Amino acid sequence: MADNIGNPMIRMANSAKKGEVVEVRSLIMNPMTTGLTKDKEGKPIPAHFIQTVSVTFDNAKLLDIDWSTAVSANPYLAFKMRAEKSGTLKMVWKDNQNGVWSAESKLTVS
Amino acid sequence: MHLDRRDFLQLLGVAGAASFFAPGAIQASWGSDKDPYTIPDYGNVTLLHMTDSHAQLLPVWWREPDTNIGVGPALNQTPHLCGKWMLDYYQVGKNPRDEYAYSCLDYDTLAHKYGKIGGYAHIAALVKRFRQERGDKVLLLDGGDTWQGSATSLWTNGSDMVGAQNLLGVDDFVGHWEFTFGQDRVEHLVKNELKAAFLAQNVFSNTWQELVFKPYRIHEISGRKIAVIGQAFPFTPIANPAYMIPDWGFGIHTEHMQKMVDEVRQQHQADLVVVLSHNGADVDKKMAAMVKGIDIILGGHTHDIMGPKPFMVNQTLIINTSTNGKILARFDLDVGKGKLKGWRFHYLPVFSNLIKPDAEMAAYIEKVRAPYQAKLSQPLATTASLLYRRDNFNGTFDQLLCDALREEMDCEASFSPGFRWGYCKLPGETITMEDVMGQTAITYPQVTINEYTGEQIKNIMEQVADNIFNPNPYYQQGGDMIRVGNIQYDFNPDEKIYHRISNLRIGGKAVSAGKKYKVAGWASMQKVEGKPVWEIFSHWLQSKKHVEVKKLDLPVLNKDMRNNHGIAFPKEYKL
Amino acid sequence: MKKTIQRRQFLGTSLVAGAAVTLAGGTLLRSGAALADNVAGWPAKAFDAKALDQAMAASVGKSNVPVSPKVKLTAPTIAENGGAVPVTIEIDSPMTADDYVSTVWLFVDHNPTPLASQFDLTPALGAAYFQQRIKMAKTDNVRVIAKTNKGELMASAPREVKVTIGGCGG
């Protein structure tokens, strides 16, 4: 699994009008295994999943998400935010095996 | 066995014809000189709709079902009407020609009198005529299931049909079985060969949830903006193998449909909003009740007769345009600024012996079939029975297929999918290899033997039944009940899942939940190894030489359904 | 896990004018040692609960919450792949400092652990809209509960997603 993990991406408009609601979409590679399944040799596959996603805008907190193993492999997450000022959106994903990834996207508000 | 050009033209009913009609055809067949395709001019926009041709380039026999039960809100509602119920609802029962077009009644007698339906050369003749009469007011919309259903479409990977669509001048197109050629092939044909726009507002990538195809197209006709929004079959990766289209997700997406309708009206100032849909009739009705602002839904998928009167849900007109090229639907519209001011609807059966086929399309069909002609015309067996597939439960053609699977694979029982395509053969006709392919031509044809427990057999049948008889249309996939060989059961469509089927038997003996049974089947949702079903079926037919269906494995209906308008009694269900 | 992210699309990215694809980040800030260790602040008790009412008690604080038309949950009627069922949550809220949705919970009634996600919102977000993909083992209900900054609880109507064998269509 470890050869295909991480690679976080954000897709969003890079400009918006003040007050406009914009959609932020993101994707990251992670197995999101539950710990309840076994491999071909019958050995249990350990739980390995992203537990938290935190979203900030110019370091101010916007959104914190906690996930269980019910979130699908390679989690996709979209949310909407109101564009109030220009700045940098940052997302940080953390999994239960000490993996931490981040991605950023700049937004210009006019 | 080769057909020469003259034979071929005779097959199409062309020979010697000079006018639009085959000489004497109207008088001889119809007892009237009236041309049923003469339509008075009306309005500023004409929509022509055809759907679910299932790749039948040539005219075929097509019998309407005798059983098409509606449940919940669809009970006794169009299109869940069979036999006289259908004729009465549309008030068309007086003329035997309409009886032939809209019902299963007296099918083989009327078939001999009125001939085969459809055929691309015949459809092309009608389309060309209407384009001549209506000029550039015409849009031709194809509702999908066009690339699959024949030997030649399978063997050319859909190319023969794309060529026919291009020649016909299809403007917009949506899909379902098209996707079973796999996403790479679909992408290739749509990008490089197909002239029509392939539209889908409900297909999204499985990574970024982004639209894969254009959701709609805006046409400018008579100074008006006509928006056509595409709706692919919402359950493609469930009803057909998902591995064919691993990156694409489907679904009905009612909310997104509303968004598209609002977008074309507000951003593009569309004056008319048309949805070209492969939802199926009941899903179209429910969607129309939930989405505001659709003027017309041109429906397909369920192969229903839903005309000659459109069905109205709020302000939305809904039709369904049959299958196998049987019907060409025509809306003549008076489109005002931002508003549909008036309409006339014409539901036109394509009676092949009444129409002089278009020479250009006839030549194209001849050309694409030529390399396969010997294989197609190989005779396998003769039939004493009328062979048909379409019905809620086992049709005669599938009964033969189920019997063949059981005997050839040495199994005590068999399953065959409840597909709704597959044309008919009349008593006395010879079943050829082409006819076998007409029932089996799919890209996942492998036959398998499965060891199922009695419980698994019941679960499979219950789950399939719920895909057809769930009272909520959004849970219906639009096929028919799974076909069975040597499996008997009692059935009540009004029950809930896991309670519709009772008294399940194999070979007349009660099925026990834990016991294993050998069941032959085909069209698996997973990748499997096995011989293609046409090989098994054709081998069995050749060994029989002559076939007759003496008994259908129909369920016993344990609810009195004698007044259900979805059954054309005297269908011989035991009650 | 071998699926590549970039897919050929018929539409390209032209639908969203000025869309930016950000491939930045990707930085593994800590070593990925296979030490299973809950991330600080992750609500383990609610996520570990094995029954819906327990999961609700441990997260929302109660298990009967009135349905409100303000909480909209969209899910397919039939799952194409029980391993990835797309769900969309949208809550009608002004999202101002005085009146906003502060927490949203997503449940799958009979999953081994019913709580699937918890979203903690700030008014600066300005909208309450989420889309993600979740796992469902069998036909089941998906439901959402939202809490406002004033402590008001609102539930979505449960949406039944059917997981079926399919085949036989059309």
Side-chain angles (χ1 to χ4, degrees):
Chain A
M1 297 292 175
D3 59 334
N4 212 337
I5 194 163
N7 192 23
M9 287 188 267
I10 298 174
R11 282 187 183 179
M12 64 183 290
N14 51 21
S15 65
K17 290 201 172 70
K18 185 172 161 59
E20 187 184 340
V21 172
V22 296
E23 189 172 11
V24 180
R25 301 179 307 130
S26 67
L27 201 55
I28 187 167
M29 305 299 267
N30 192 281
M32 300 301 284
T33 47
T34 59
L36 302 172
T37 53
K38 288 178 176 159
D39 66 13
K40 280 176 193 152
E41 283 91 49
K43 281 201 310 197
I45 301 169
H48 185 183
F49 65 107
I50 289 172
Q51 290 188 310
T52 64
V53 189
S54 55
V55 184
T56 53
F57 195 80
D58 279 355
N59 298 317
K61 179 180 150 176
L62 278 189
L63 172 67
D64 281 324
I65 301 174
D66 299 305
W67 275 342
S68 81
T69 54
V71 172
S72 307
N74 304 332
Y76 169 80
L77 169 73
F79 60 90
K80 287 182 180 173
M81 61 171 282
R82 194 161 53 212
E84 292 291 356
K85 55 168 188 165
S86 298
T88 301
L89 179 109
K90 184 178 181 184
M91 295 180 67
V92 179
W93 292 259
K94 295 182 182 177
D95 76 13
N96 69 326
Q97 296 192 4
N98 293 329
V100 180
W101 300 269
S102 70
E104 293 179 358
S105 188
K106 282 194 165 46
L107 180 70
T108 306
V109 172
S110 57
Chain B
M1 191 172 128
H2 267 278
L3 287 177
D4 64 23
R5 186 173 167 81
R6 198 167 152 267
D7 291 336
F8 181 77
L9 291 176
Q10 269 175 348
L11 191 71
L12 289 167
V14 188
S19 66
F20 184 78
F21 293 108
I26 306 181
Q27 188 59 41
S29 295
W30 309 92
S32 150
D33 281 330
K34 195 168 164 275
D35 169 2
Y37 304 114
T38 297
I39 294 169
D41 216 41
Y42 174 83
N44 53 0
V45 175
T46 289
L47 305 178
L48 297 177
H49 179 237
M50 59 182 293
T51 193
D52 295 79
S53 77
H54 282 284
Q56 298 308 322
L57 289 170
L58 296 178
V60 295
W61 301 117
W62 183 261
R63 167 196 176 271
E64 291 308 314
D66 60 50
T67 308
N68 183 16
I69 297 167
V71 285
L75 174 71
N76 297 344
Q77 296 287 311
T78 186
H80 297 278
L81 304 170
C82 288
K84 80 173 184 66
W85 302 110
M86 178 66 90
L87 301 175
D88 288 353
Y89 177 79
Y90 286 114
Q91 298 177 329
V92 291
K94 304 228 161 42
N95 185 334
R97 179 183 78 187
D98 292 334
E99 190 176 321
Y100 177 58
Y102 300 133
S103 84
C104 57
L105 303 175
D106 300 321
Y107 184 76
D108 42 5
T109 311
L110 293 174
H112 282 103
K113 188 169 177 195
Y114 294 112
K116 292 183 175 180
I117 55 86
Y120 269 67
H122 302 78
I123 296 167
L126 280 176
V127 169
K128 274 190 183 171
R129 174 177 168 176
F130 295 153
R131 280 212 172 104
Q132 245 165 32
E133 293 167 1
R134 297 285 288 166
D136 53 11
K137 297 188 184 81
V138 179
L139 277 183
L140 174 60
L141 306 172
D142 182 337
D145 278 5
T146 303
W147 297 355
Q148 176 277 339
S150 73
T152 54
S153 71
L154 183 70
W155 296 335
T156 63
N157 272 313
S159 270
D160 67 333
M161 295 314 298
V162 172
Q165 288 177 298
N166 289 347
L167 209 50
L168 204 55
V170 173
D171 290 292
D172 298 329
F173 181 41
V174 296
H176 167 202
W177 276 92
E178 285 71 18
F179 297 111
T180 63
F181 283 107
Q183 62 188 43
D184 289 346
R185 180 66 180 165
V186 171
E187 202 173 294
H188 170 82
L189 288 174
V190 166
K191 267 189 176 164
N192 305 307
E193 294 189 29
L194 182 73
K195 288 183 187 160
F198 192 84
L199 305 175
Q201 74 85 27
N202 61 330
V203 181
F204 295 87
S205 63
N206 283 334
T207 45
W208 287 98
Q209 302 289 144
E210 280 169 351
L211 281 169
V212 175
F213 303 98
K214 282 185 206 149
Y216 56 78
R217 188 174 171 199
I218 314 275
H219 300 268
E220 207 156 322
I221 297 175
S222 305
R224 301 295 183 214
K225 285 186 172 166
I226 314 300
V228 178
I229 304 176
Q231 176 82 349
F233 175 51
F235 303 119
T236 303
I238 303 157
N240 306 92
Y243 67 79
M244 302 282 190
I245 37 171
D247 294 344
W248 298 347
F250 291 65
I252 302 170
H253 293 284
T254 312
E255 293 83 0
H256 194 259
M257 177 63 83
Q258 182 67 65
K259 200 174 144 193
M260 295 297 99
V261 173
D262 295 344
E263 193 171 306
V264 297
R265 286 205 183 269
Q266 288 155 21
Q267 287 181 26
H268 300 278
Q269 283 81 45
D271 299 301
L272 181 84
V273 178
V274 177
V275 172
L276 182 59
S277 165
H278 206 92
N279 273 337
D282 294 341
V283 180
D284 279 338
K285 284 184 183 177
K286 177 159 178 165
M287 194 179 77
M290 296 172 76
V291 177
K292 285 196 179 68
I294 301 172
D295 293 301
I296 300 173
I297 298 179
L298 302 172
H301 180 57
T302 37
H303 298 183
D304 291 310
I305 291 289
M306 206 169 162
K309 270 192 310 229
F311 188 84
M312 295 219 55
V313 174
N314 301 328
Q315 300 301 306
T316 305
L317 297 158
I318 306 174
I319 63 161
N320 202 284
T321 309
S322 185
T323 182
N324 278 264
K326 181 175 182 174
I327 306 277
L328 183 67
R330 171 172 161 174
F331 266 110
D332 290 336
L333 306 168
D334 181 4
V335 182
K337 197 74 209 142
K339 190 171 182 275
L340 176 59
K341 294 200 296 195
W343 54 270
R344 288 185 190 167
F345 183 57
H346 307 278
Y347 202 59
L348 305 165
V350 180
F351 296 115
S352 66
N353 68 0
L354 205 56
I355 301 166
K356 183 191 163 196
D358 175 68
E360 192 188 4
M361 184 67 87
Y364 171 77
I365 295 171
E366 186 186 3
K367 190 187 85 191
V368 293
R369 287 172 55 88
Y372 310 105
Q373 197 57 58
K375 203 171 167 188
L376 293 171
S377 53
Q378 185 194 353
L380 301 170
T382 52
T383 176
S385 308
L386 169 69
L387 299 181
Y388 62 92
R389 169 174 277 165
R390 176 77 203 277
D391 241 343
N392 273 165
F393 307 101
N394 279 30
T396 49
F397 227 137
D398 279 327
Q399 188 69 50
L400 290 182
L401 183 49
C402 283
D403 293 348
L405 284 171
R406 215 157 42 79
E407 289 178 22
E408 294 282 313
M409 306 307 287
D410 193 23
C411 287
E412 52 206 313
S414 56
F415 278 144
S416 184
F419 294 143
R420 287 190 171 194
W421 44 272
Y423 59 85
C424 305
K425 296 295 285 183
L426 300 187
E429 286 192 317
T430 297
I431 304 167
T432 63
M433 193 63 203
E434 177 161 27
D435 301 328
V436 163
M437 296 305 290
Q439 306 292 318
T440 59
I442 66 173
T443 55
Y444 49 105
Q446 292 79 11
V447 172
T448 54
I449 297 174
N450 301 289
E451 299 251 328
Y452 289 131
T453 63
E455 190 181 1
Q456 283 173 314
I457 291 171
K458 178 153 190 299
N459 274 348
I460 290 168
M461 293 175 66
E462 286 280 4
Q463 292 202 34
V464 174
D466 198 55
N467 293 340
I468 300 148
F469 298 108
N470 192 305
N472 181 346
Y474 274 24
Y475 291 93
Q476 292 173 14
Q477 294 175 18
D480 277 314
M481 184 59 183
I482 191 168
R483 279 47 182 137
V484 294
N486 200 30
I487 297 177
Q488 298 83 31
Y489 58 108
D490 295 2
F491 193 76
N492 182 349
D494 290 337
E495 282 287 354
K496 286 201 161 59
I497 188 167
Y498 303 121
H499 296 94
R500 289 189 178 90
I501 290 161
S502 54
N503 194 21
L504 188 64
R505 288 148 290 149
I506 288 180
K509 279 202 246 169
V511 166
S512 74
K515 194 184 157 190
K516 284 196 169 173
Y517 299 87
K518 250 173 86 181
V519 184
W522 63 291
S524 173
M525 291 297 101
Q526 282 79 44
K527 277 184 187 164
V528 292
E529 299 286 318
K531 277 189 188 170
V533 63
W534 50 79
E535 250 181 68
I536 308 281
F537 195 20
S538 59
H539 181 264
W540 183 82
L541 287 167
Q542 273 179 312
S543 71
K544 296 281 173 190
K545 294 187 182 70
H546 186 70
V547 292
E548 185 176 2
V549 181
K550 292 196 173 122
K551 186 181 154 287
L552 287 171
D553 282 316
L554 290 176
V556 173
L557 298 178
N558 56 9
K559 179 188 177 215
D560 188 346
M561 300 187 72
R562 265 170 292 205
N563 284 316
N564 190 296
H565 298 190
I567 303 178
F569 278 97
K571 173 82 183 184
E572 289 172 2
Y573 292 109
K574 291 190 185 115
L575 297 161
Chain C
M1 237 37 71
K2 290 286 177 195
K3 284 183 83 155
T4 49
I5 295 281
Q6 303 292 355
R7 299 290 175 192
R8 278 169 297 154
Q9 300 279 306
F10 282 67
L11 282 180
T13 50
S14 59
L15 268 190
V16 187
V21 178
T22 305
L23 282 152
T27 37
L28 195 55
L29 302 178
R30 279 187 273 170
S31 77
L35 269 175
D37 191 12
N38 285 340
V39 175
W42 188 73
K45 193 178 169 219
F47 277 123
D48 290 342
K50 299 205 167 19
L52 181 64
D53 53 352
Q54 290 164 14
M56 282 188 170
S59 54
V60 181
K62 60 195 273 195
S63 59
N64 61 331
V65 173
V67 170
S68 163
K70 288 184 176 176
V71 185
K72 221 173 107 189
L73 168 64
T74 308
T77 52
I78 309 179
E80 291 169 12
N81 168 5
V85 179
V87 294
T88 306
I89 300 164
E90 195 162 10
I91 298 144
D92 184 3
S93 162
M95 292 303 284
T96 58
D98 298 336
D99 185 1
Y100 66 97
V101 172
S102 57
T103 315
V104 175
W105 294 274
L106 172 68
F107 299 93
V108 182
D109 286 10
H110 297 95
N111 265 2
T113 53
L115 178 60
S117 303
Q118 176 177 320
F119 305 81
D120 292 306
L121 299 75
T122 65
L125 188 61
Y129 169 97
F130 306 100
Q131 187 181 35
Q132 61 179 41
R133 293 185 286 255
I134 57 172
K135 301 173 196 169
M136 297 181 71
K138 57 180 182 181
T139 300
D140 206 347
N141 282 328
V142 182
R143 60 180 83 224
V144 165
I145 291 175
K147 186 165 121 181
T148 66
N149 59 318
K150 293 164 191 158
E152 187 196 354
L153 289 168
M154 308 176 281
S156 71
R159 289 286 293 250
E160 189 189 53
V161 178
K162 195 168 141 181
V163 180
T164 177
I165 55 164
C168 307

